């Protein structure tokens, strides 16, 4: 080859090399200008991968790598680092606890983790270097020898937590779903899917159907809870719905509320029944809560107190209602306002602590019985009852009783009435004067008569007659009473098993025997 040929070959080589160098320089300049950088190797490949290794001597931590110390710091155990390690190893390597107890015989133990999935499965290696000195190594088998940099502990925790959350949402009885701004369902849990499948005979697809209509607020709940119904094959189910906004999506939680709906319906029906019952009562009823505001009243309260309906529907306090009654002259006339307020305060406190009854004699001649009763949760109820007729009847009865007693005291005969049990039901003043200190029972009275009267057939016949002895009994007779006076007695049967005994002095004209042969004293002695 000539010198000219060799020069041409060298020129071609140099030209090609210069072209490659120039192209590479231009490419790097363009990457830097356009903001693109050459991919860098992972940090784990640029430096050595730090393993998770712990050294224990007699269960005391001697040394540990930074990842291992970070693992121990995640747990708290007062017994020390060994207890912290066992707290983490126990649920993940079930057979490791027993193996650690026999490490002195085996010298080495290796186990693959039972929890986690995929790359979250871990391997535990325990080696006895010297007596009492253990080296514990925790590694990721899939990351070993592959240059993969991953925090296996964090990945395992995330996978375990993700699995727990999925299982919890699928097993919960409440409906959970996510919807976008157009209220399209973009995700749902298993309970929602089961409900959706039960609503249609055909397989469901995406987007999922909306099961619940726009929820409405729960009346009187005071919360943001909204209630919605779901009709499935004629059966209506109720749910309390809660929403949580996350960006443009909304998470919805529907808790079963069938029991609450049934309880509320029963409560409404019960209140309606009570309201109808209270409306027919002739007794005025007013129930006050623990703040002493009127919560419930019946029409009889308006009829008895003449309180305006508008005033009662405005839920006045107890003292406002009592002040209004005072203005209407429907309370006893007080001596002064201070004593009136004290009296009403005593009424309120007595009703709140126990059963309390008062009788109000009104200026118009009416008489009301006011009863206060405590109710649960500090409430108190007042009952207003018109007892004017009852008081009039009681006064009339007492007047008639006083008249009857006055008549008995002035008939001139000693009269005593024994009840069915032998107790004295009534006795006039003449009887008390004739037999002073006589007991109030039949046996004691007979003993008193026998001790103060002379014995004889007449007294025996009286005792037999009152004692109910068998045989022919006389209803009257004579005895020699206190002071030797001759007394005639008569026993009369009254209704309801009562017996009336009368003692009387015989007429002077009949002091002799009808035959005229012997005095009555001798006859009585017979």
């Amino acid at each position: 080859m000539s010198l000219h040929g060799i020069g041409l070959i060298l020129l071609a080589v140099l030209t090609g090399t210069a072209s490659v160098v120039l192209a590479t320089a231009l490419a790097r300049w363009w990457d830097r200008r356009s903001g693109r950088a050459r991919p860098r190797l992972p940090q784990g490949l640029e430096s050595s991968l730090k393993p998770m290794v712990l050294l224990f001597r007699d269960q005391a931590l001697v040394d540990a790598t930074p990842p291992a110390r970070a693992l121990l710091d995640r747990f708290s155990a007062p017994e020390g680092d060994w207890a912290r390690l066992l707290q983490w190893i126990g649920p993940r390597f079930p057979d490791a606890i027993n193996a650690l107890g026999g490490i002195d015989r085996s010298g080495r133990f290796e186990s693959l983790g039972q929890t986690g999935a995929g790359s979250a499965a871990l391997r535990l290696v325990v080696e006895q270097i010297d007596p009492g000195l253990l080296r514990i190594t925790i590694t990721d088998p899939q990351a070993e020898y592959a240059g993969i940099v991953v925090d296996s502990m964090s990945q395992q925790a995330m996978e375990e937590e993700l699995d727990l959350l999925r299982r919890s949402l699928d097993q919960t009885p409440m409906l959970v779903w996510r919807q976008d701004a157009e209220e399209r369902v973009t995700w749902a849990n298993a309970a929602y899917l089961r409900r959706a499948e039960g609503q249609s005979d055909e397989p469901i697809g995406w987007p999922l159907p909306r099961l619940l209509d726009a929820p409405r607020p729960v009346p009187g709940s005071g919360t943001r809870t909204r209630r919605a119904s779901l009709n499935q094959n004629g059966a209506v189910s109720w749910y309390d719905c809660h929403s949580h906004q996350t960006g443009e999506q909304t998470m919805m939680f529907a808790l079963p509320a069938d029991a609450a709906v049934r309880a509320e319906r029963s409560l409404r029906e019960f209140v309606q029944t009570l309201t109808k019952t209270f409306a027919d009562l002739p007794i005025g009823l007013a129930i006050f809560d623990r703040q002493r505001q009127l919560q419930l009243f019946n029409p009889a309260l308006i009829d008895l107190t003449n309180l305006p309906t508008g005033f009662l529907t405005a839920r006045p306090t107890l003292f406002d209602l009592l002040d209004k009654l005072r203005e209407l002259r429907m309370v006893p006339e007080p001596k002064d306002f201070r004593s009136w307020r004290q009296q009403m305060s005593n009424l309120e406190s007595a009703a709140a602590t126990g059963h309390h009854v008062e009788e109000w004699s009104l200026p118009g001649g009416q008489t009301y019985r006011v009863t206060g009763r405590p109710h649960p949760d500090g409430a108190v109820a007042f009952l207003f009852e018109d007892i004017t007729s009852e008081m009039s009847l009681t006064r009339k009865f007492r007047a008639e009783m006083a008249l009857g007693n006055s008549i008995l005291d002035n008939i001139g005969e000693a009269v005593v009435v024994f009840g069915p049990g032998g107790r004295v039901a009534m006795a006039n003043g003449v009887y008390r004067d004739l037999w002073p200190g006589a007991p109030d029972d039949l046996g004691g009275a007979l003993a008193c008569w026998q001790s103060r009267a002379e014995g004889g057939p007449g007294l025996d016949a009286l005792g037999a007659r009152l004692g109910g002895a068998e045989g022919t009994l006389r209803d009257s007779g004579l005895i020699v009473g206190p002071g030797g006076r001759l007394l005639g007695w008569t026993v009369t049967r009254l209704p309801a098993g009562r017996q009336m005994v009368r003692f009387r002095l015989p007429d002077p004209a009949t002091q002799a025997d009808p035959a005229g042969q012997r005095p009555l004293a001798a006859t009585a002695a017979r």
Side-chain angles (χ1 to χ4, degrees), residues 389-448:
S389 301
E390 178 184 338
M391 294 301 296
S392 299
L393 183 61
T394 301
R395 294 189 188 100
K396 184 178 180 180
F397 177 74
R398 289 176 180 174
E400 291 179 353
M401 287 290 296
L403 177 61
N405 291 333
S406 178
I407 293 173
L408 286 177
D409 290 340
N410 290 278
I411 61 176
E413 294 184 354
V415 180
V416 60
V417 178
F418 295 97
R423 301 293 299 178
V424 174
M426 180 184 297
N428 65 351
V430 180
Y431 172 81
R432 299 296 183 189
D433 295 338
L434 178 63
W435 306 100
D440 290 336
D441 61 278
L442 179 58
L446 285 174
C448 178

Side-chain angles (χ1 to χ4, degrees), residues 216-471:
R216 63 179 185 273
V218 178
S221 65
T223 64
R224 295 183 178 180
T225 303
R226 294 178 176 269
R227 184 160 293 167
S229 61
L230 175 61
N231 192 331
Q232 185 174 6
N233 300 326
V236 179
S237 301
W238 289 92
Y239 293 90
D240 286 336
C241 301
H242 304 263
S243 61
H244 181 71
Q245 192 73 24
T246 56
E248 296 182 356
Q249 302 283 333
T250 304
M251 290 296 300
M252 301 293 299
F253 304 88
L255 282 70
D258 293 331
V261 171
R262 287 194 298 267
E264 292 170 1
R265 185 182 298 114
S266 301
L267 179 60
R268 285 194 300 269
E269 294 174 354
F270 179 69
V271 171
Q272 291 174 0
T273 302
L274 287 181
T275 303
K276 293 178 181 179
T277 304
F278 293 157
D280 296 334
L281 285 177
I283 301 175
L285 175 67
I287 299 179
F288 298 86
D289 59 15
R290 64 188 309 170
Q291 283 78 31
R292 298 299 179 260
Q293 280 191 318
L294 182 63
Q295 296 295 328
L296 180 64
F297 66 93
N298 64 341
L301 181 67
I302 301 175
D303 298 335
L304 291 174
T305 61
N306 298 324
L307 288 170
T309 305
F311 173 77
L312 294 176
T313 55
R315 294 187 176 184
T317 64
L318 172 60
F319 291 103
D320 290 340
L321 186 141
L322 294 175
D323 289 339
K324 190 67 175 180
L325 289 177
R326 180 172 176 266
E327 295 176 5
L328 297 175
R329 297 175 61 83
M330 296 303 297
V331 294
E333 196 65 37
K335 296 180 180 180
D336 52 47
F337 185 75
R338 178 175 299 178
S339 61
W340 152 256
R341 294 296 294 182
Q342 183 62 39
Q343 181 182 356
M344 293 303 101
S345 298
N346 296 339
L347 172 65
E348 187 271 338
S349 59
T353 56
H355 184 75
H356 180 71
V357 180
E358 284 187 4
E359 290 184 0
W360 288 1
S361 298
L362 306 183
Q366 298 170 302
T367 303
Y368 283 0
R369 179 186 292 123
V370 181
T371 305
R373 297 177 179 270
H375 275 231
D377 198 22
V380 63
F382 287 93
L383 291 81
F384 296 83
E385 183 180 2
D386 188 355
I387 59 172
T388 305
S389 301
E390 178 184 338
M391 294 301 296
S392 299
L393 183 61
T394 301
R395 294 189 188 100
K396 184 178 180 180
F397 177 74
R398 289 176 180 174
E400 291 179 353
M401 287 290 296
L403 177 61
N405 291 333
S406 178
I407 293 173
L408 286 177
D409 290 340
N410 290 278
I411 61 176
E413 294 184 354
V415 180
V416 60
V417 178
F418 295 97
R423 301 293 299 178
V424 174
M426 180 184 297
N428 65 351
V430 180
Y431 172 81
R432 299 296 183 189
D433 295 338
L434 178 63
W435 306 100
D440 290 336
D441 61 278
L442 179 58
L446 285 174
C448 178
W449 300 341
Q450 292 172 356
S451 63
R452 298 183 182 180
E454 296 182 8
L459 188 59
D460 296 338
L462 175 60
R465 177 65 182 78
L466 293 176
E470 297 181 357

Side-chain angles (χ1 to χ4, degrees), residues 40-376:
R40 294 170 58 93
L41 290 175
Q43 180 69 25
L45 296 182
E46 295 178 356
S47 60
S48 59
L49 184 64
K50 295 182 179 179
M52 187 175 294
V53 182
L54 305 97
L55 288 178
F56 281 91
R57 183 180 296 279
D58 298 329
Q59 299 185 358
L61 182 64
V62 177
D63 195 7
T65 59
R69 292 188 183 275
L71 174 66
L72 295 179
D73 292 340
R74 292 170 52 187
F75 298 91
S76 60
E79 293 83 0
D81 295 325
W82 182 258
R84 295 181 184 181
L85 180 63
L86 295 183
Q87 186 178 353
W88 183 86
I89 288 178
R92 293 166 177 80
F93 304 91
D95 53 347
I97 303 300
N98 294 331
L100 287 173
I103 195 66
D104 293 337
R105 296 187 301 271
S106 61
R108 190 178 187 279
F109 168 75
E110 183 175 341
S111 175
L112 190 64
Q114 301 297 318
T115 60
S119 61
L122 301 176
R123 184 169 61 188
L124 174 68
V125 179
V126 182
E127 299 172 297
Q128 187 176 28
I129 301 175
D130 291 324
L133 181 63
L134 296 179
R135 180 172 62 189
I136 300 175
T137 307
I138 302 171
T139 59
D140 182 357
Q142 296 189 10
E144 246 179 338
Y145 310 114
I148 299 176
V149 179
V150 63
D151 187 352
S152 301
M153 306 299 105
S154 300
Q155 184 174 353
Q156 182 185 24
M158 288 188 294
E159 290 187 2
E160 291 176 354
E161 184 177 3
L162 179 61
D163 182 67
L164 176 62
L165 292 177
R166 286 175 176 172
R167 292 178 183 272
S168 300
L169 286 177
D170 288 341
Q171 295 174 2
T172 181
M174 66 178 176
L175 308 183
V176 183
W177 72 98
R178 183 179 61 189
Q179 60 188 30
D180 56 15
E182 286 76 22
E183 295 187 352
R184 292 175 298 188
V185 179
T186 59
W187 177 87
N189 69 334
Y192 189 98
L193 296 177
R194 288 192 296 268
R195 280 287 189 174
E197 292 172 354
Q199 291 288 100
S200 176
D201 297 332
E202 300 179 357
I204 61 174
W206 292 92
L208 294 174
R210 294 187 69 252
L211 296 181
L212 300 177
D213 298 330
R216 63 179 185 273
V218 178
S221 65
T223 64
R224 295 183 178 180
T225 303
R226 294 178 176 269
R227 184 160 293 167
S229 61
L230 175 61
N231 192 331
Q232 185 174 6
N233 300 326
V236 179
S237 301
W238 289 92
Y239 293 90
D240 286 336
C241 301
H242 304 263
S243 61
H244 181 71
Q245 192 73 24
T246 56
E248 296 182 356
Q249 302 283 333
T250 304
M251 290 296 300
M252 301 293 299
F253 304 88
L255 282 70
D258 293 331
V261 171
R262 287 194 298 267
E264 292 170 1
R265 185 182 298 114
S266 301
L267 179 60
R268 285 194 300 269
E269 294 174 354
F270 179 69
V271 171
Q272 291 174 0
T273 302
L274 287 181
T275 303
K276 293 178 181 179
T277 304
F278 293 157
D280 296 334
L281 285 177
I283 301 175
L285 175 67
I287 299 179
F288 298 86
D289 59 15
R290 64 188 309 170
Q291 283 78 31
R292 298 299 179 260
Q293 280 191 318
L294 182 63
Q295 296 295 328
L296 180 64
F297 66 93
N298 64 341
L301 181 67
I302 301 175
D303 298 335
L304 291 174
T305 61
N306 298 324
L307 288 170
T309 305
F311 173 77
L312 294 176
T313 55
R315 294 187 176 184
T317 64
L318 172 60
F319 291 103
D320 290 340
L321 186 141
L322 294 175
D323 289 339
K324 190 67 175 180
L325 289 177
R326 180 172 176 266
E327 295 176 5
L328 297 175
R329 297 175 61 83
M330 296 303 297
V331 294
E333 196 65 37
K335 296 180 180 180
D336 52 47
F337 185 75
R338 178 175 299 178
S339 61
W340 152 256
R341 294 296 294 182
Q342 183 62 39
Q343 181 182 356
M344 293 303 101
S345 298
N346 296 339
L347 172 65
E348 187 271 338
S349 59
T353 56
H355 184 75
H356 180 71
V357 180
E358 284 187 4
E359 290 184 0
W360 288 1
S361 298
L362 306 183
Q366 298 170 302
T367 303
Y368 283 0
R369 179 186 292 123
V370 181
T371 305
R373 297 177 179 270
H375 275 231

